[in-house]
Amino acid sequence: MHTCEGHRKWVLNLAWSPDCKMIASGSMDNMVIVWNAETGEKMGELKGHKQYITSLSWEPMHVRAQPKFLASSSKDATVKIWNVTNHSLHTSLSGHSDSVTKVIWGGQGYIYSASKDRTIKVWKSDGQLVYDLKGHGHWVNNICLNTDYVLRTACYSEKPVETDSYEEMQKLAKERY
């Protein structure tokens, strides 16, 4: 067990990468930190949000074998897609007029964001808005997909995974999805 130190304020959320080798943490310090899950070593800091991080979601394993992209949402009304291999901003999704409360990376490659502006937006990972779902009477605090469990568990199931090959793990994740 490790204590990962690096944030200057409260950590509000965590997300394990689909291969279970990295952990992302989002904080009140407006930053995401990516950690090596085995050693606890800081792998990189992702800076760019102007307010605190509200949610984190990794690109699913069946889409890309080795984790490369992470989505973060923030009180600053944006969703940012980060390249975790070089710790850089890939794209920023702006279209909400209030705090983004939740982000989910879905199995079909879409990114879903819920907001206090009473909308859910559906995006392509390149930043293109696909759908703007309006009509909620109050804030949208949370969203989930019927595939959440399979996306979060990726290639892992009741049976132990007996491979270190990313291609084999991706194949198993696609079969489960």
Side-chain angles (χ1 to χ4, degrees), residues 100-161:
V100 180
T101 55
K102 181 74 174 177
V103 63
I104 296 177
W105 206 311
Q108 299 297 318
Y110 292 123
I111 297 167
Y112 302 81
S113 58
S115 173
K116 285 187 175 182
D117 68 6
R118 302 180 308 191
T119 68
I120 297 170
K121 297 192 184 303
V122 183
W123 312 83
K124 289 185 179 179
S125 60
D126 64 3
Q128 179 184 351
L129 181 64
V130 180
Y131 300 109
D132 190 3
L133 308 175
K134 299 177 182 179
H136 295 89
H138 201 7
W139 302 342
V140 183
N141 291 318
N142 206 347
I143 51 176
C144 66
L145 303 174
N146 66 352
T147 55
D148 269 359
Y149 175 75
V150 171
L151 293 176
R152 282 184 286 117
T153 56
C155 65
Y156 303 97
S157 66
E158 309 80 44
K159 300 178 235 160
V161 176

Side-chain angles (χ1 to χ4, degrees), residues 10 25 30 52 55 67 70 76 92-93 117 132 156-157:
W10 302 322
S25 58
N30 310 343
Y52 66 82
S55 178
L70 172 72
D76 68 9
S92 188
L93 313 178
D117 68 6
D132 190 3
Y156 303 97
S157 66

